[in-house]
Amino acid sequence: METTQSFFSGFTPYDLLFLGEAALRTLWISVLSISIGTVLGAIFGWILYEGRWIATLTIAPVLDIFRSVPLIIQLVLFYNFAPIVGLNLDPFASGLVILTIYTAALVANVARGGIEAVGQPMRRAARSLGMTYWQDLRHVVLPIGGRAVFPSWVGVALGVMKDSALVSVLGYVELLKASQILITRTQEPFLILTVAGAFYFALSYPLSRYATHLENRWAQ
């Protein structure tokens, strides 16, 4: 009697560990891109606010491109064209570069909104007390404007964390790519996607709760 050989295997604890490692890779690329992108975005936002028409003609169009073009197209184009200019980057580095610039483009408008949220009378009052321009930014604009746009920044951070799944198209084995690999082998899409969704929730929920905690403290 002929026996039928199956090429598929069930979901095992090692597969759960594989997904956990992929979740850590997702967290790593997300934390780096959000952190660096936030710093760059704050600088770009300040330039947009202070640069007026010069920034409108130079930086603003570039940031609009990164905000408007779908992220997956940016990733594929950069990964394929970077070697032409001598940048031989692996999938992680390519994904990090684009995610960082994408984050910076989103944060730039948030940062500019935060600066604009601080009224000119308050800023003039700070200057009349003897504060320098940079002291005004640090002690007046940053605390007040930062609180005003903090929920928007949290939304950007959570969005970038989820959008990091698109780096899988470059071959970087993050959570979504790992899920696809396991689905192909186990043929258990519902179970694996449920576990992957739980990992995404575990990565995002602490940031969301901590943001809510900070907002409640500031409201007191």
Side-chain angles (χ1 to χ4, degrees):
M1 179 181 298
E2 295 184 359
T3 59
T4 302
Q5 183 176 4
S6 175
F7 294 95
F8 306 117
S9 60
F11 189 77
T12 67
Y14 293 103
D15 296 330
L16 183 62
L17 179 61
F18 180 60
L19 286 177
E21 293 174 348
L24 290 178
R25 296 191 193 100
T26 295
L27 180 63
W28 178 235
I29 195 171
S30 299
V31 168
L32 286 179
S33 58
I34 292 170
S35 301
I36 302 173
T38 296
V39 174
L40 292 177
I43 295 173
F44 292 150
W46 172 76
I47 294 174
L48 290 174
Y49 178 80
E50 296 291 352
R52 308 301 180 184
W53 64 270
I54 298 177
T56 301
L57 295 176
T58 55
I59 296 179
V62 177
L63 297 179
D64 285 338
I65 291 174
F66 282 97
R67 279 195 299 266
S68 304
V69 176
L71 182 58
I72 190 170
I73 294 178
Q74 298 180 39
L75 289 166
V76 173
L77 288 178
F78 180 79
Y79 184 67
N80 287 280
F81 284 97
I84 297 177
V85 296
L87 296 176
N88 296 315
L89 303 177
D90 59 19
F92 172 80
S94 298
L96 178 60
V97 169
I98 293 301
L99 279 177
T100 298
I101 299 175
Y102 177 71
T103 304
L106 296 177
V107 171
N109 271 352
V110 174
R112 181 174 62 177
I115 298 175
E116 293 174 346
V118 182
Q120 286 300 321
M122 186 175 296
R123 300 195 65 180
R124 285 194 292 267
R127 301 299 292 274
S128 68
L129 292 175
M131 288 187 180
T132 64
Y133 174 80
W134 299 109
Q135 288 175 330
D136 170 33
L137 282 181
R138 177 183 176 184
H139 298 292
V140 178
V141 175
L142 181 59
I144 299 176
R147 292 184 183 187
V149 299
F150 183 70
S152 299
W153 176 85
V154 172
V156 170
L158 292 175
V160 171
M161 185 174 293
K162 289 181 289 186
D163 289 339
S164 66
L166 296 176
V167 182
S168 62
V169 301
L170 306 182
Y172 180 63
V173 185
E174 45 68 66
L175 192 50
L176 180 61
K177 185 69 174 181
S179 300
Q180 293 172 338
I181 294 173
L182 291 181
I183 289 174
T184 300
R185 184 175 62 78
T186 65
Q187 295 297 297
E188 296 184 21
F190 180 79
L191 173 61
I192 293 173
L193 291 179
T194 299
V195 175
F199 273 118
Y200 274 115
F201 177 78
L203 295 177
S204 304
Y205 186 71
L207 176 60
S208 178
R209 290 302 305 165
Y210 184 66
T212 302
H213 170 69
L214 285 181
E215 291 178 35
N216 291 337
R217 281 187 56 187
W218 292 338
Q220 293 176 358

